[in-house]
Structures are given as structure tokens and as C-alpha cells.
Amino acid sequence: MSKKIVVLTGAGISAESGLKTFRGNNGLWENEPIDIVATPEGYAKERIRVKNFYNKLRTTLKNFQPNNAHFALARLEESLLENFLLITQNVDDLHERAGSKRLLHMHGELLKLRCENNPEHIFDFNGNETESTHCPICSASTRPHIVWFGEMPLYMQEIELALKECEIFAYIGTSSVVYPAAGFKSIAHSHRAHVTCLNLEIPNFDPHTDTFIQGNASEIVPKWVDSLLG
Ligand code: APR
């Protein structure tokens, strides 16, 4: 099979691994207000609180394991190689631990920090970030390498090109309410891709989606991958 396939994942794919999703928790992410822990304004007001929030998520990430949906997407990549691209809104490393390599974290990564002097300085980090954590390249202060509301998601040029060239686009475990990710299905669809939604909740109708598959990701994603690989 040489069809180009692009997949977008959201928090729902990691839900069965035990990681909380974002919506449906009264505007809280892991019991903290999103406007504090997921906005530049919140970070400017409460740097230490925000750093500690991500420290907790980062240092407990190893307690969570990839589920069969993550493994199924790694299997799809193994079969399609350069004809496959996985874009995730998630900042966890469950896709990597399941074996995915052709992966773009458009909202950043928990296991990385970013220099506050030069945003190109991004480095691996798996501990507790404090105010005495410094950029290993220029010694400036650091921040979590997370894209907050109002900030530009990463890899957008590469993503837009892939969306225009793919024959199949699937979005998995995402509420499709946060742009630009929520708009990816219409870009792909307007470039003649077949668009499939795999999600626990299915919208009544979506003009940019051809196929809806409802259920838990760990069940429906492996079946969907099997149907593609034949
Ligand atoms: N299997 C499949 N889908 C699931 C499962 C599951 N087990 N559990 C939940 N879902 C679905 C929910 O029905 C919902 O549609 O996953 C989706 C999760 O939606 P959100 O919590 O809004 O997460 P997401 O779409 O990834 O949020 C996008 O918003 O908060 C920001 O930057 C943050 O990346 C995040 C972005």
C-alpha cells in the first residue's frame, strides 16, 4: 500500500493509558486552572507554580504506559515508512514509547525545556525545573517546552504540506475545538483526502469527515489499522 496517510491525535488516545483529557474537567487540567498553567499570561504571573505543574506531569509520566492505539499507529508507520506522518497535540511521550518515529509534537513536549533567551534552544529534560535551571547552550533561564494558548503551534509548514498531499487523513481522540489542529480535516478534505474520525464521542455531522468510527481508541484504532494494512 503506498497511499500517503496523515494522522492527528489528541488527549483521547492517551485517556486509556490513564492520562486525563482536557475538556469535561470544568476547565481544569490535572486539577489546575488552564488559564494559569496553559497561557503565557498565567506563566508570567506564577512562574514557579506553572513550572511545578509541569514538573509533576513530567516526573509521573513514567507511571503511564502506551496502549494498543499507540502501538497500532507505530505498526502503521512501520508499514508505510515515508508515506506516513503522525501529528500529535499531546505533550506526553507515549507515541515514542510505542515506537513512533515520524512524529510531530505540535503543542510541544513535557520531556523538553526551552530557553527563554532563544526559542531555538530546546533540550531534553526529565527532572524538576526550577529558577536555577539554565539553558545548556547560552545559560539563560528556561521554560517548559509547551505551546500555550495564544502561542504558535510547532511544525505548521511541514504539517500543512502533508495535509495537502495525503490521500487519507484520520483524527483520533480529539474534540476538534482548538485551532489550528481542528482545521486540519478541512484542509485535507479540500485536497481530496478521505477523512476519518475515530473518537469516543461522535459529532452529529461534519462536512469535512467521510467516515466516523466510534469507540475506545485502544479497540477501534488497531481495527482501523488492520483494515488499512489488509
Ligand atoms: N478513546 C477515544 N476517544 C476518547 C477516549 C477514548 N478512550 N476518551 C476520550 N476521548 C475523546 C473525547 O470524546 C474528546 O473528544 O477524546 C477527546 C479529548 O478532547 P480534549 O480533552 O479536548 O483533548 P484535545 O482535543 O487533545 O485538546 C486539544 O486543547 O487544551 C488544549 O493544548 C491542549 O492539546 C490540547 C488541545
Side-chain angles (χ1 to χ4, degrees), residues 1-170:
M1 169 190 228
S2 60
K3 281 204 162 92
K4 285 183 185 287
I5 298 184
V6 173
V7 172
L8 169 72
T9 59
I13 199 167
S14 299
E16 290 163 88
S17 297
L19 287 169
K20 286 193 175 57
T21 59
F22 292 96
R23 274 149 205 97
N25 308 321
N26 314 316
L28 296 178
W29 179 16
E30 298 285 352
N31 307 319
E32 285 284 352
I34 285 184
D35 62 343
I36 296 289
V37 297
T39 65
E41 298 75 19
Y43 175 65
K45 264 191 281 192
E46 305 206 45
R47 282 173 69 94
I48 309 289
R49 176 179 176 186
V50 173
K51 288 188 176 183
N52 286 333
F53 171 76
Y54 290 100
N55 287 340
K56 183 166 157 270
L57 291 184
R58 181 180 309 114
T59 53
T60 55
L61 197 49
K62 55 184 172 304
N63 304 334
F64 302 94
Q65 303 307 323
N67 64 60
N68 287 337
H70 297 100
F71 288 113
L73 293 179
R75 189 158 50 88
L76 186 56
E77 173 183 324
E78 236 171 270
S79 166
L80 293 178
L81 302 173
E82 70 281 356
N83 287 321
F84 179 79
L85 177 66
L86 175 56
I87 305 158
T88 187
Q89 299 172 91
N90 301 337
V91 294
D92 62 61
D93 66 337
L94 298 185
H95 280 305
E96 287 89 340
R97 283 197 268 147
S100 289
K101 295 180 179 53
R102 293 179 58 76
L103 169 61
L104 298 176
H105 279 272
M106 65 179 288
H107 288 169
E109 298 175 62
L110 268 178
L111 294 176
K112 286 188 169 67
L113 293 183
R114 188 193 305 174
C115 171
E116 292 195 293
N117 171 46
N118 180 335
E120 309 274 305
H121 298 170
I122 298 164
F123 54 98
D124 291 338
F125 185 81
N126 62 8
N128 283 302
E129 183 191 14
T130 67
E131 287 298 76
S132 31
T133 306
H134 291 107
C135 171
I137 304 165
C138 69
S139 303
S141 59
T142 61
R143 58 164 274 185
H145 180 50
I146 303 290
V147 176
W148 288 324
F149 284 104
E151 295 183 325
M152 192 57 187
L154 308 168
Y155 310 110
M156 285 308 295
Q157 250 184 329
E158 192 174 343
I159 288 171
E160 271 156 26
L161 189 61
L163 291 170
K164 289 174 182 167
E165 290 181 347
C166 69
E167 280 106 340
I168 294 173
F169 174 71

